Amino acid sequence: MKIVMAHGSGGDMTRRLIEEIFSKAYGNEYLSQLEDSTVLPCETKIAYTTDSFVVTPPVFPGGDIGRLAICGTVNDLAARGAVPKYVSCGFILEEGLDAELLKKAAESMALAAKEAGVLIAAGDTKVVEGKGGLYINTSGIGFVYERDVKAKNIRSGDAVIVSGTVGDHHAAILGARLGMQSVSSDVAPLNGMVEALFEAGLNVHAMRDVTRGGLATVLCELAEASEKHIEIDEEKIPVSAAVKSFAGLMGLEPVYMGNEGKMVIILPAKEAERAVGVLRMCKYAENAAVIGHVYEPEKEEKPELTVKTALGGTRVLDVLAGEGLPRIC
Amino acid sequence: MTEELERMKEFLSGYDGEEVRIMEICGSHTAAITKNGLRSIVSDRIKLISGPGCPVCVTPSAYIDRLIELEEKENATVVTFGDLLRVPGSSKSLSQIKGEGADVRMVYSPISIADFAQNEPDRQFVFAAVGFETTTPLYADLLCELTERKIENVRLLTSLKTMPNAVDALCSGRKENGEPLIDGFLAPGHVCSVAGSCIFKPLAEKYRIPFAVAGFEGGELLTAIYGAVKNRGIGKVFNYYTRAVTESGNKKAMALTSRFFTPCDAVWRGMGNIPASGMKIRDVYSRFDAGSEGLSDDRKINEKCCCGEILTGRRTPAMCPLFGSVCTPASPQGACMVSEEGSCRHAYPYRAAARGK
């Protein structure tokens, strides 16, 4: 079955689409309120975020747009130390979309939501003219409790940790577009891993979900926001052999490649080793590593991100310039 | 790091002899030198200068204008590698017209255009064929494919360059005190793998300048820089990239190239016309040419842009009055600030430390 304009009419075909695809995949007590908005219980201050997903191709090695749409929002919440609880999803479907693809995406969303422990609490579907494209927006709410995780908390002497290999998602998407399917995306919910850090009593100062723009861009932003220098060590950055050779072939740098299941964690240096130990016990952080440290700029120096190269040189890294890879998430 | 590499690194970082100016003439070398932090390793008395090795950076503005004209006036789809998208023409870039709805497609291999053309037989397609000796065989391969598959709705707009005569122009450059501007070259590994290291031999001998053929790994570059510094004043080609480069090059690639292309004069952005420094499609295949001849107009977007002096090693990017203030990756005033291989683009992150140097 192909999606047609009538599926977005709000009438009988919309209802049937909801029943056959969305309710089947992730019906729950909140969604079944079937009111104009959902009333939800809440215990604490909340973190709130939104993200839209336009990835092409919608199904790629290691995941699909549905899994991405849940993980992206869950990870943005987790990066503030919040416990992700509720997610809304808005679908924009282009006429001609294969209903099977939509069904698969909805089912992946349900699986990812279950894995992350979040409830899909509100939804909407619209149909527009087009060429069969599928776009998803998700918003999420997480409970913050007493945690305070933000760039401003970064201190000189802190250690910089990345939760695993970088560049996998980027290589998976680009590889799929070029018909060379050698790398799987790392798309994954990271809230379990983040919870493990707090349960271990670690004093996480700041975290960032390392997505578009890659590790270098995220660390540049953290340096700027915290007004500190960050230095990382090229040889310590985890990169899989497959991504390394793919990046070499395509003239890409892994530090500028996008990810969908990697977190940068900044905490006091004396806790770094223990944090890596905790992370490596977690499902999506087996390759976590300390990659650098934070230090104080001299007077009037602008905060910078530098990398110590394997040859022993120093290089200044800027945020990614230009387009990078369009429609990666 | 091997002991030998360690020893070379020590020599280069402790060097306190006469200032030596080494120029790389390959965009991938420019990128790899930054990536490996090589400038921070070598002594201040060794100047690593980026020459005209980035194909996008030496393409005159008239070429970009012609691509835009092909899309806007002749309704052709422009197909290009990504690095050309944001390069400014005299008024617009391909990226800008794409934003306005133009059909501009980015690909990773020229062959993709043959599939586009076959799937959409009623559309005209133009490939933006820019490059050096390394890339030209890919376009020859595309032309081969087009003739074999009898695809008639694809043309190439070419701006193809060959290194030797441009490097000759650089070699004859002199400082104000009459000394040569460049003391040694890192010869481009990719170009040499196709054309052979022999293409630089006549220049090495004529100007008594060493040409060190370099690979692209940090250690390979360090070795070649060491070779160029150590052999200053010796007019020879030193091949430090033997795993890919032979003296005579890739005969098959060269034969394919010469089946479809023939040498011509070429305008290098910022350097002007250089005789026999380009390649054009042979007359028998002229049906595949999208009007590449006579695209010599090379207009600056900003009169103060000194890309020409930078590309020829007369100035560093930081000596340009626009660098880092008016000209940034977000608002480039010249291709050197846009391209992933551009010298200004690579100098940009160091703008704070380099001011005026």
Side-chain angles (χ1 to χ4, degrees):
Chain A
M1 186 181 74
K2 300 275 185 198
I3 298 298
V4 295
M5 293 302 284
H7 282 119
S9 67
D12 59 337
M13 284 183 76
T14 309
R15 174 182 279 239
R16 222 178 312 149
L17 190 71
I18 292 172
E19 280 169 4
E20 279 171 20
I21 294 186
F22 302 122
S23 300
K24 245 188 211 167
Y26 44 67
N28 59 52
E29 57 177 310
Y30 296 108
L31 264 185
S32 59
Q33 289 175 9
L34 289 175
E35 297 281 352
D36 278 0
S37 58
T38 311
V39 175
L40 300 164
C42 178
E43 300 166 13
T44 77
K45 269 200 294 192
I46 60 167
Y48 179 42
T49 187
T50 188
D51 207 343
S52 299
F53 300 86
V54 299
V55 66
T56 177
V59 180
F60 46 82
D64 64 16
I65 188 170
R67 182 167 171 82
L68 200 60
I70 294 294
C71 295
T73 288
V74 161
N75 294 347
D76 284 348
L77 293 170
R80 294 300 305 274
V83 178
K85 286 287 179 185
Y86 309 115
V87 172
S88 74
C89 55
F91 283 86
I92 296 177
L93 318 177
E94 283 184 358
E95 226 181 347
L97 171 69
D98 193 338
E100 277 305 304
L101 178 62
L102 180 61
K103 196 165 166 229
K104 183 172 165 29
E107 285 166 0
S108 305
M109 287 181 87
L111 277 175
K114 193 174 169 201
E115 183 184 353
V118 294
L119 280 175
I120 295 171
D124 177 55
T125 309
K126 295 283 188 303
V127 181
V128 297
E129 292 94 346
K131 293 180 180 170
L134 164 59
Y135 309 105
I136 304 175
N137 170 273
T138 54
S139 291
I141 291 173
F143 292 176
V144 179
Y145 302 109
E146 298 308 313
R147 293 171 189 168
D148 180 29
V149 179
K150 60 185 183 218
K152 286 269 178 245
N153 291 348
I154 294 174
R155 298 285 171 262
S156 295
D158 280 357
V160 180
I161 293 172
V162 67
S163 67
T165 56
V166 297
D168 300 73
H169 181 69
H170 196 124
I173 296 296
L174 183 53
R177 282 187 211 163
L178 297 173
M180 15 196 304
Q181 310 210 343
S182 54
V183 179
S184 267
S185 166
D186 58 348
V187 55
L190 301 178
N191 53 326
M193 178 194 94
V194 167
E195 231 25 58
L197 290 172
F198 286 103
E199 277 166 18
L202 292 156
N203 292 295
V204 178
H205 285 166
M207 282 189 285
R208 279 285 161 95
D209 183 18
V210 191
T211 54
R212 284 174 301 172
L215 183 65
T217 302
V218 164
L219 289 176
C220 279
E221 287 168 358
L222 285 174
E224 196 181 336
S226 63
E227 297 175 344
K228 301 276 184 281
H229 284 328
I230 295 178
E231 185 182 69
I232 55 175
D233 191 331
E234 185 180 31
E235 289 188 299
K236 291 187 179 154
I237 302 167
V239 185
S240 77
V243 169
K244 214 174 263 180
S245 64
F246 182 85
L249 195 65
M250 303 306 298
L252 295 167
E253 290 196 58
V255 291
Y256 284 110
M257 290 168 72
N259 310 273
E260 287 297 337
K262 293 293 146 39
M263 197 68 86
V264 154
I265 300 141
I266 298 187
L267 44 55
K270 61 178 193 304
E271 297 184 9
E273 204 178 315
R274 197 156 67 85
V276 168
V278 170
L279 287 167
R280 286 191 177 169
M281 300 293 285
C282 297
K283 190 172 175 190
Y284 299 115
E286 299 94 338
N287 297 306
V290 178
I291 56 165
H293 66 279
V294 177
Y295 65 103
E296 201 65 26
E298 300 281 321
K299 250 191 200 158
E300 297 188 7
E301 266 183 357
K302 274 195 155 181
E304 269 184 344
L305 170 65
T306 51
V307 56
K308 247 175 67 196
T309 71
L311 274 183
T314 305
R315 172 189 177 195
V316 182
L317 290 174
D318 234 332
V319 295
L320 175 72
E323 308 197 10
L325 182 62
R327 297 188 63 181
I328 188 171
C329 58
Chain B
M1 209 183 310
T2 64
E3 225 169 84
E4 200 189 359
L5 207 53
E6 200 67 70
R7 190 175 49 77
M8 288 190 272
K9 187 179 150 189
E10 210 168 290
F11 170 83
L12 292 172
S13 62
Y15 177 85
D16 64 351
E18 203 183 331
E19 182 177 288
V20 45
R21 296 162 59 85
I22 308 293
M23 178 181 269
E24 90 272 358
I25 39 177
C26 167
S28 302
H29 279 161
T30 305
I33 285 171
T34 313
K35 191 173 165 228
N36 289 286
L38 284 168
R39 283 195 181 82
S40 73
I41 290 175
V42 303
S43 135
D44 280 350
R45 307 205 57 75
I46 300 171
K47 304 290 181 200
L48 300 179
I49 303 159
S50 302
C54 150
V56 166
C57 301
V58 295
T59 301
S61 63
Y63 178 83
I64 305 287
D65 294 345
R66 172 73 184 143
L67 281 175
I68 292 171
E69 183 184 86
L70 281 161
E71 206 291 334
E72 290 185 337
K73 299 214 173 108
E74 299 181 26
N75 211 13
T77 297
V78 173
V79 182
T80 173
F81 291 132
D83 51 355
L84 206 62
L85 279 176
R86 296 179 62 242
V87 175
S90 62
S91 65
K92 283 179 186 175
S93 68
L94 288 173
S95 170
Q96 273 167 305
I97 66 160
K98 189 172 191 281
E100 292 161 14
D103 192 0
V104 176
R105 303 184 196 175
M106 188 187 105
V107 294
Y108 290 87
S109 161
I111 293 293
S112 310
I113 200 173
D115 297 330
F116 293 158
Q118 210 151 37
N119 294 336
E120 297 163 74
D122 297 329
R123 270 203 87 72
Q124 288 297 318
F125 290 86
V126 172
F127 198 93
V130 168
F132 290 111
E133 285 92 334
T134 336
T135 324
T136 310
L138 298 180
Y139 302 131
D141 191 39
L142 170 63
L143 289 173
C144 199
E145 180 102 357
L146 295 175
T147 46
E148 276 171 18
R149 283 161 66 177
K150 299 196 169 38
I151 295 171
E152 298 291 337
N153 53 333
V154 172
R155 286 174 297 159
L156 275 64
L157 191 71
T158 60
S159 181
L160 300 169
K161 307 275 197 292
T162 48
M163 273 287 165
N165 285 358
V167 177
D168 194 338
L170 291 170
C171 290
S172 42
R174 289 282 176 275
K175 284 192 263 190
E176 277 165 19
N177 62 10
E179 283 178 29
L181 201 56
I182 311 295
D183 301 302
F185 284 92
L186 298 183
H190 293 146
V191 166
C192 290
S193 71
V194 172
S197 62
C198 63
I199 59 166
F200 293 111
K201 196 167 169 235
L203 294 174
E205 287 169 356
K206 179 172 163 195
Y207 294 102
R208 288 206 289 166
I209 296 178
F211 280 72
V213 182
F216 299 86
E217 300 293 333
E220 291 174 331
L221 275 161
L222 193 85
T223 307
I225 293 168
Y226 177 84
V229 173
K230 273 282 188 188
N231 293 303
R232 182 183 192 169
I234 300 176
K236 271 173 76 174
V237 176
F238 299 88
N239 185 359
Y240 298 104
Y241 193 32
T242 48
R243 68 189 171 102
V245 172
T246 61
E247 202 182 340
S248 54
N250 182 334
K251 295 241 162 63
K252 199 174 157 194
M254 285 191 280
L256 187 64
T257 296
S258 69
R259 182 178 149 204
F260 292 99
F261 295 95
T262 182
C264 64
D265 294 355
V267 172
W268 295 55
R269 180 172 155 271
M271 295 172 71
N273 184 63
I274 301 175
S277 68
M279 295 293 260
K280 62 172 186 180
I281 294 178
R282 285 185 183 277
D283 287 345
V284 281
Y285 296 105
S286 63
R287 64 181 188 281
F288 290 115
D289 184 70
S292 311
E293 273 196 70
L295 300 177
S296 54
D297 197 14
D298 183 20
R299 204 170 308 164
K300 290 182 179 181
I301 327 178
N302 190 318
E303 269 315 307
K304 290 184 181 149
C305 170
C306 18
C307 279
E309 278 112 322
I310 294 168
L311 286 166
T312 50
R314 289 166 202 280
R315 288 198 196 194
T316 63
M319 287 158 81
C320 170
L322 307 175
F323 177 75
S325 52
V326 177
C327 185
T328 66
S331 66
Q333 305 295 303
C336 298
M337 186 57 96
V338 186
S339 166
E340 281 303 314
E341 300 185 340
S343 49
C344 298
R345 173 76 195 86
H346 281 276
Y348 183 74
Y350 299 84
R351 59 196 174 281
R355 195 96 34 231
K357 277 191 207 164

